[in-house]
Structures are given as C-alpha cells and as structure tokens.
Amino acid sequence: MINVTKLLTGLEAEGDHLRYAPQNQSRHHGAAAGMGPVVVWNMTRSCNLSCLHCYAEACKERDPAELTLEESLRFIDDLSAFRVPVLLFSGGEPLMHKDLFQLLEYASSKGIRPVVSTNGTLITPAVAKRLKDAGTGYVGVSIDGVAEGNDRFRGQTGAYERAITGIRNCLEIGQKAGLRFTISRHTYNDLPKILDLIEEESIPRACFYHLVYSGRGQQLQQEDVTRKEARNALDLIIAKTMELRKKERSTEILTVDNHADGVYLYNWMKARDEHQAAHVLDLLRRNGGNRSGSAIGCVDWHGNVYPDQFTRDVRLGSIRERPFSEIWTDLSHPVTAGLRNRKPLLKGRCSECGWLDICNGNFRARASVSGDFWASDPSCYLTDGEIGLVRN
Ligand code: SF4
Ligand code: SF4
C-alpha cells in the first residue's frame, strides 16, 4: 500500500508506523521490528455477490470444510503470540460468517487490530454497531464504479446503493470506514466520480487497487487498463489528494498492488519540489515496495497459507498441520525463501530496473500469469527511461 496523502502532503495516518518504519526493506519477515506480518484471512468463501474480478472465486454456499470456531480461535492465539499487528477479515464476504463478531472481538482482546474487508451491502445500522462493539479498527467497503456500473460488475442490482449506505451506517456511529476501488477497464471511466464521491460523502479513507490477475481476475488480464490509462488514473488521484489537503480535509488516499506508483509519485514531486522529493524517496525506501510473503501473508478458509491473497497457486502450508508462525518462519519452501530475497531471482525489466529498492519487483501473482513466477510484472506502466534502462 502506498499512502499518497502521506507521501505528497505529510499527513500521518494509522498504519504509517508499519508502512514506513525504518529498515523495513531489510527485514526478514514481519511488518516491522519484532512483529509478525499483516495477515489477510479469507475466512469464508460464501458471498452474496458474484463479482467479475473475485480472486477468492466466492460463491453463495458455505464450504463445509471451513475452519471451525475452535481452529479459528487457536489460529488467532498463534497470531497474537507471533505479534501480528493487523488481521484483515475478508472472504468471500466476512459478514456471511456466523462467528465473525466473536472472532473480531477475540482478535482485539489478544492485541491484534481487526479490520474488515466487505462488499458493504449487509451493513445495516445494527451490523455497524456490532462491528464497532467488537473493536473493529476499520471497515473497507469495495465499490467498483458508480451505480449501474458497480452493479453490473458486482453481479447484483442495488449493490452500489447498499454499499454506500453501509459506509454511511458505519460513519454515523463513529466506526471508521472507507472505500476500496479496483481500477480496470470496466471501472476506469468512473474514477473521477468516485474521487468526487469521497469528498461529498466525507469518506475518511479510500484505497485504489490496481487489478491483479488471479482467481476470476485471471481472465481479466485483457481487462486491465492501458499504461496511459494507469498514468492518467494516478494523475487524477494525485490531483484529488492535493485538492483535499488544500481544503484541509484529512482524507487518506492510498494506492494498492502496484509499487510502480511509488516511482511515479516520486517523479511527480521531483518535478515540483526537489527537497520534498528526497523525503518521499526516503519513505519509499523505508517501505521497500512489495513484501508479499514477508510483511503480508494470507490464510484461506481451509487454513492454507499463501504469500498474499492473490498468489493462490503457491501454498506454503496449512495451519491445520502446524501453526502459522511456524510456516512463516520456515524457509525450506523455495518461494518463501525466494520472496525474502527476490532481487537475484527477478527476470526481464524488473531485474534491470533502477527502482528495485522501492518497488521490489512488484506483484509476483501478476508476473506468474506469463508462466514464470520471477518474470517482470506486466502491469508496470513506467517507461524504460523512467526505470533507468537505456536500450540501443
Ligand atoms: S464481494 Fe468480494 S468476495 Fe464477494 S464476489 Fe465480490 S470480490 Fe468476491
Ligand atoms: S520494472 Fe519492475 S521493479 Fe521496476 S518499477 Fe517496474 S515493476 Fe517495479
């Protein structure tokens, strides 16, 4: 995640102490010194929607082999002992999971910040209150366009209105919530409207996700935006971030899943303010770029462990066989070991890039669509000149 607001305006946000902690880049595992990784837990495959890009390939029915309550509590105990700072409850749709509130509360009581990633359509005022009472740190609601655009993509009429209502229901009672928006060819034209919506609805946090080709998203590779569109999207996001700060709004704007954005933001700042650009570069270097398999990990509803929520074809182990902490610190799996020291393994443009220290080869899940896990990330929209390549 790249906090655009923090980098361009200096405004601090929750999570920046992890994101920009000194020497993160050289840390072997964990989100910051003495900590375990941020863990995304796809706790159920059940979902009331059927989005085109769903990486979890969710469906309506509950999988009878989901982790039991007892297994889930044991899992949280282990994460707590491993000093995992944040547990992201995701799905499927986590609000379809019968034990969600109990598990949120349990994680919170064990010193882990529980956050929820949801389609928002099930957040009634009563549900918002239950989320807050359970100690939920943040609720991220996914929206993929405005009105019919979102509903078409999300596979349900009225999903957009219900998601916005879900955010409002949270904010009304002081439950921090924000929106998540995936940039794709389907959603690209709605980006300006979404940026305006953030301001109109006083949504305190918005995360703009780049498309990762995984799950149902794999067929969507052709649906990713062009390089020019990706750059335009960043320009719109930057302009809105600066506008909101000028209006003294404390909205946090972040981009997710493409660390080429860090280079783009640095170049943007360098063209305007060399001194501030040096500060931006320092923060980006502290962060170190993509840290799948070290600072972020994922567990699915069966207890399988993956380097991140998109890299589903690389199973590192199962918490049904041994604790997450043990799997995470065992370097006998070649992908775990490779991700912790990936620079010598990268190929193509990424291997020759001058920005490896702030991008780290970007997203391996996208690269592996080519058939080679260590190939270049195809979604890098930077020119050869921008990454320091001179081709004759
Ligand atoms: S709401 Fe989320 S889990 Fe449900 S189908 Fe859409 S992307 Fe998948
Ligand atoms: S070439 Fe690779 S490492 Fe360099 S910025 Fe692009 S994606 Fe990142």
Side-chain angles (χ1 to χ4, degrees):
M1 274 191 170
I2 296 179
N3 187 339
V4 181
T5 308
K6 160 86 175 157
L7 292 180
L8 301 188
T9 75
L11 189 75
E12 284 286 333
E14 183 103 46
D16 283 341
H17 67 292
L18 297 176
R19 213 167 284 125
Y20 303 112
Q23 285 140 17
N24 266 350
Q25 195 186 26
S26 55
R27 227 165 279 300
H28 216 49
H29 72 257
M35 286 184 187
V38 168
V39 175
V40 177
W41 182 16
N42 295 114
M43 67 188 309
T44 180
R45 77 167 182 191
S46 304
C47 187
N48 55 326
L49 301 184
S50 48
C51 305
L52 287 175
H53 60 65
C54 182
Y55 68 81
E57 306 200 40
C59 61
K60 299 263 180 302
E61 300 75 38
R62 179 183 170 275
D63 184 334
E66 267 175 14
L67 293 173
T68 64
L69 178 59
E70 202 193 344
E71 286 172 318
S72 302
L73 294 171
R74 214 179 314 128
F75 169 49
I76 292 173
D77 284 340
D78 174 50
L79 298 185
S80 170
F82 197 36
R83 299 206 55 221
V84 161
V86 177
L87 179 57
L88 172 64
F89 291 78
S90 183
E93 171 50 56
L95 284 163
M96 303 273 284
H97 193 292
K98 68 177 177 39
D99 301 322
L100 174 69
F101 299 107
Q102 183 178 346
L103 293 167
L104 287 167
E105 205 170 336
Y106 191 65
S108 179
S109 76
K110 301 289 279 184
I112 302 172
R113 183 170 186 253
V115 298
V116 173
S117 176
T118 167
N119 62 46
T121 58
L122 303 172
I123 308 180
T124 59
V127 167
K129 178 152 186 333
R130 288 190 78 187
L131 286 166
K132 187 167 183 238
D133 290 348
T136 308
Y138 177 71
V139 178
V141 174
S142 308
I143 290 173
D144 283 306
V146 178
E148 300 84 34
N150 174 81
D151 293 357
R152 202 169 38 249
F153 206 59
R154 300 229 138 218
Q156 197 179 92
T157 308
Y160 175 77
E161 268 314 316
R162 284 201 297 281
I164 296 291
T165 304
I167 296 177
R168 288 182 192 140
N169 289 339
C170 287
L171 297 179
E172 249 161 47
I173 57 146
Q175 168 61 61
K176 188 170 179 188
L179 68 80
R180 305 156 49 96
F181 178 86
T182 301
I183 303 164
S184 73
R185 204 163 280 181
H186 292 280
T187 64
Y188 174 74
N189 289 332
D190 279 348
L191 179 58
K193 287 185 202 144
I194 293 291
L195 288 164
D196 287 344
L197 178 83
I198 295 163
E199 188 175 355
E200 284 156 21
E201 295 280 337
S202 296
I203 294 172
R205 188 173 194 261
C207 297
F208 293 94
Y209 283 71
H210 292 268
L211 196 62
V212 182
Y213 325 132
S214 174
R216 282 199 280 270
Q218 217 152 33
Q219 293 121 39
L220 281 184
Q221 187 178 7
Q222 303 313 316
E223 303 306 323
D224 201 356
V225 292
T226 62
R227 290 180 178 192
K228 189 165 180 290
E229 286 166 340
R231 297 174 78 98
N232 285 346
L234 257 287
D235 288 339
L236 290 170
I237 289 167
I238 291 169
K240 193 68 184 182
T241 304
M242 299 309 284
E243 184 192 328
L244 288 165
R245 270 322 282 150
K246 217 167 153 189
K247 293 177 177 168
E248 298 188 358
R249 304 282 286 262
S250 57
T251 321
E252 288 166 56
I253 309 260
L254 299 98
T255 68
V256 192
D257 295 341
N258 193 338
H259 281 271
D261 292 353
V263 182
Y264 196 82
L265 292 171
Y266 166 69
N267 284 339
W268 184 90
M269 187 54 90
K270 195 159 180 269
R272 287 154 183 85
D273 182 340
E274 291 256 0
H275 179 72
Q276 187 55 26
H279 180 58
V280 168
L281 190 56
D282 176 52
L283 290 173
L284 291 167
R285 284 199 170 120
R286 284 182 187 209
N287 176 264
N290 179 286
R291 291 192 295 146
S292 294
S294 57
I296 185 158
C298 176
V299 175
D300 72 11
W301 50 88
H302 292 150
N304 295 311
V305 177
Y306 307 97
D308 59 55
Q309 62 272 47
F310 299 104
T311 312
R312 293 306 183 101
D313 46 357
V314 180
R315 182 182 172 274
L316 304 176
S318 166
I319 66 160
R320 280 186 159 139
E321 288 152 17
R322 55 189 183 140
F324 176 87
S325 54
E326 217 176 290
I327 296 167
W328 208 247
T329 47
D330 177 359
L331 296 187
S332 64
H333 194 293
V335 172
T336 314
L339 285 170
R340 306 277 166 97
N341 184 24
R342 64 175 85 171
K343 290 187 178 94
L345 300 170
L346 294 172
K347 297 176 187 166
R349 280 180 107 232
C350 288
S351 69
E352 301 171 275
C353 176
W355 294 113
L356 269 178
D357 57 342
I358 65 172
C359 180
N360 207 21
N362 227 343
F363 232 101
R364 299 294 89 213
R366 254 183 326 242
S368 57
V369 167
S370 71
D372 183 344
F373 192 75
W374 301 109
S376 277
D377 184 330
S379 75
C380 181
Y381 53 81
L382 300 171
T383 64
D384 284 354
E386 283 170 326
I387 64 163
L389 278 185
V390 184
R391 298 211 190 267
N392 296 316

